[in-house]
Amino acid sequence: MSTPIRVRVRMYQVGFGDCFLVSVEYDAPLPDGRDTRHILIDFGTSHSPREGMARGRMGDVAALIEEHTGGELDVLVVTHRHRDHLRGFEVDAGAAIMKRLAPKLVVRSWTEDPELSETANGPAAAADDTAGVSRASARYAALLAEAQEQVAGLATLVGLDDEVRAAAEDQLKNAEAVALLNELSRDGRGRYLHAGMDSGLADVVPGIEATVLGPPTVDQDPRVARQREEDPEYWLTALGASLRVVGSAAQADARSPITHGPGPVRWLIDRLANQRSRSAARLVRDLDDALNNTSVILLLKVGGVSLLFSGDAQIENWRHTLDQLGDDADLRDRLAKIDLYKVGHHGSRNATPRSLHALWKARAADLPRLAAVMSTRQGVHGRNDNAVPQQHLVAALREVADLYSTDDLDSGEEYLELVADAARGPFRIVPPPA
């Protein structure tokens, strides 16, 4: 019987995005003759690395992944449908390599099941007869997909503020990437997870324990569908109305040869245009929140080492787990004792719950030092108190962990690598290759 002896984590330089390879190494070859299993978690970017850093092109990153896996990928996890987590799948070079790697298991959120529709009672029954979701949850998933279609229209309209257009582009459906993921998920390889489900990872990666903490379905926790206490129907209805207003105004501007000089008419036109941009920005932010809260949250354990990967999950997703901590001492203990944390949402202040940080701050002194890995890029989103990464969060994480960021890879490194003995942490940095 082969036993895990090491866990290796590589964080690739992709700029503003996530791409992590978790490798479990064994003391003897497994039945297929290999002595390592590989799990790729996300493969995307929305903005290239800063000047002077590795270019972070997804084709180059895919080539590195192929090299590091020896050409065989066991598990692919795509936490949610945002371009900074899956854009690499629509890049020709990256797509070709992912097809060659042919992952044996493809893990995605329950909202991504291609057979899920607004009229379905739930996704197709899984091999283990896992129950589907209700019509309410299916409707919510369908609304998210339709809202993304509406945002695609926003991104092409004239007259919008550049920041609004850029934010809308971040919410695009990434149809080519999703099509490839659907292809890789065929023949029973796809698994669409919600909180509490069996992930299927242990069937492919011997010796791993995977707990699915999120996302909950709407049935498990209606709060996941109610950012700002809004009904899930809100996104589709409001986005559609906004598009009609903005689209009509843009078409009218294109048809009209009349120009308006300074004066009350020009003032009114400018005020209306600004209001449309503000409304569009709010709608796009709401959709961004909704998609983030479909993130798969995985708590992985290999031997005596635990890792927490949470995608971009925000509080509406996390609350389903956090509410259990008061009564579930085992879950609280497991989260307190993790060895590696993938910093949520690239260091945004809305994705690392204070209660988790409090657990880590109260860790026993004899526990191995926590490692935190953050794939991000400064200057992409927000300013000052809203900047990503959020400096208050960065400072708080450094109180409880050794923090490693791709934004610190300023010597051209293409990835950062950490390794831990599977019997017990901590994760330690591996010097980059000469």
Side-chain angles (χ1 to χ4, degrees):
M1 172 82 66
S2 300
T3 302
I5 55 172
R6 271 183 302 277
V7 181
R8 196 175 300 273
V9 176
R10 295 180 178 94
M11 175 171 63
Y12 295 96
Q13 174 60 280
V14 294
F16 197 91
D18 268 5
C19 185
F20 293 85
L21 183 67
V22 178
S23 301
V24 180
E25 302 174 5
Y26 300 83
D27 60 358
L30 294 159
D32 64 355
R34 299 162 56 220
D35 62 1
T36 308
R37 290 289 185 264
H38 302 286
I39 305 167
L40 180 65
I41 303 178
D42 290 329
F43 181 52
T45 184
S46 64
H47 295 76
S48 300
R50 290 186 288 115
E51 187 176 351
M53 296 185 170
R55 288 183 290 182
R57 296 186 304 186
M58 299 312 294
D60 296 338
V61 173
L64 275 174
I65 293 168
E66 187 171 35
E67 175 187 337
H68 292 153
T69 59
E72 292 194 54
L73 180 61
D74 299 283
V75 180
L76 170 63
V77 178
V78 178
T79 58
H80 64 295
R81 191 192 287 198
H82 261 155
R83 70 190 311 195
D84 54 343
H85 292 255
L86 53 66
R87 190 179 185 184
F89 296 102
E90 65 185 25
V91 174
D92 289 345
I97 289 174
M98 289 299 153
K99 287 181 181 180
R100 288 203 300 269
L101 291 176
K104 300 170 182 62
L105 174 67
V106 180
V107 169
R108 297 153 75 186
S109 168
W110 66 271
T111 58
E112 299 306 302
D113 189 338
E115 297 187 28
L116 192 65
S117 74
E118 64 179 272
T119 58
N121 289 326
D128 62 354
D129 295 326
T130 299
V133 298
S134 74
R135 291 173 65 97
S137 290
R139 174 64 178 158
Y140 173 68
L143 284 171
L144 291 181
E146 290 179 44
Q148 281 189 284
E149 296 287 358
Q150 298 280 31
V151 165
L154 270 180
T156 63
L157 290 176
V158 298
L160 284 184
D161 181 271
D162 288 342
E163 284 193 23
V164 176
R165 180 174 289 102
E169 288 173 351
D170 283 346
Q171 311 307 318
L172 296 181
K173 199 171 182 178
N174 304 288
E176 292 181 18
V178 171
L180 175 57
L181 288 170
N182 289 343
E183 178 183 336
L184 295 174
S185 302
R186 289 175 188 157
D187 303 321
R189 289 175 292 171
R191 200 165 183 86
Y192 305 94
L193 302 183
H194 58 72
M197 276 187 67
D198 177 5
S199 69
L201 265 71
D203 298 332
V204 184
V205 183
I208 197 170
E209 298 176 30
T211 303
V212 183
L213 299 178
T217 64
V218 176
D219 314 293
Q220 290 177 307
D221 196 330
R223 293 172 298 186
V224 77
R226 291 179 186 156
Q227 288 84 5
R228 298 178 180 86
E229 303 300 316
E230 313 248 9
D231 187 272
E233 297 278 351
Y234 163 76
W235 291 290
L236 182 61
T237 303
L239 278 169
S242 176
L243 279 170
R244 285 191 293 274
V245 171
V246 176
S248 298
Q251 292 170 5
D253 288 346
R255 289 194 302 266
S256 175
I258 301 173
T259 59
H260 301 277
V265 174
R266 180 74 265 171
W267 178 87
L268 180 58
I269 291 172
D270 290 344
R271 287 293 296 271
L272 290 173
N274 289 338
Q275 181 61 39
R276 287 197 299 271
S277 281
R278 286 195 294 270
S279 296
R282 180 172 58 87
L283 296 169
V284 169
R285 283 195 300 269
D286 286 347
L287 178 59
D288 182 66
D289 289 344
L291 290 173
N292 285 337
N293 279 322
T294 67
S295 290
V296 174
I297 305 176
L298 290 176
L299 177 58
L300 306 177
K301 184 178 181 184
V302 181
V305 174
S306 296
L307 309 88
L308 179 60
F309 284 85
S310 57
D312 287 355
Q314 297 178 184
I315 190 61
E316 290 83 6
N317 187 338
W318 266 115
R319 193 176 285 134
H320 181 73
T321 293
L322 300 179
D323 284 354
Q324 302 174 47
L325 297 184
D327 298 324
D328 192 335
D330 177 65
L331 178 59
R332 186 171 63 251
D333 187 61
R334 290 164 61 202
L335 286 171
K337 293 180 178 178
I338 63 169
D339 297 280
L340 183 141
Y341 169 54
K342 197 290 292 187
V343 178
H345 202 190
H346 319 286
S348 171
R349 65 181 181 180
N350 61 6
T352 300
R354 289 179 181 270
S355 48
L356 276 186
H357 181 268
L359 289 178
W360 300 331
K361 197 167 183 178
R363 282 164 67 103
D366 61 344
L367 285 176
R369 179 75 168 169
L370 175 64
V373 288
M374 181 170 67
S375 185
T376 192
R377 178 191 153 171
Q378 299 175 45
V380 172
H381 290 293
R383 296 183 181 88
N384 303 321
D385 289 345
N386 292 319
V388 180
Q390 175 54 237
Q391 291 308 306
H392 295 302
L393 173 65
V394 168
L397 286 171
R398 284 183 171 143
E399 290 179 4
V400 299
D402 293 330
L403 178 62
Y404 304 96
S405 171
T406 53
D407 223 20
D408 295 332
L409 300 180
D410 53 9
S411 297
E413 303 97 323
E414 295 178 300
Y415 61 95
L416 183 147
E417 183 175 358
L418 298 112
V419 66
D421 188 309
R424 180 178 171 86
F427 276 89
R428 300 189 185 279
I429 193 76
V430 177

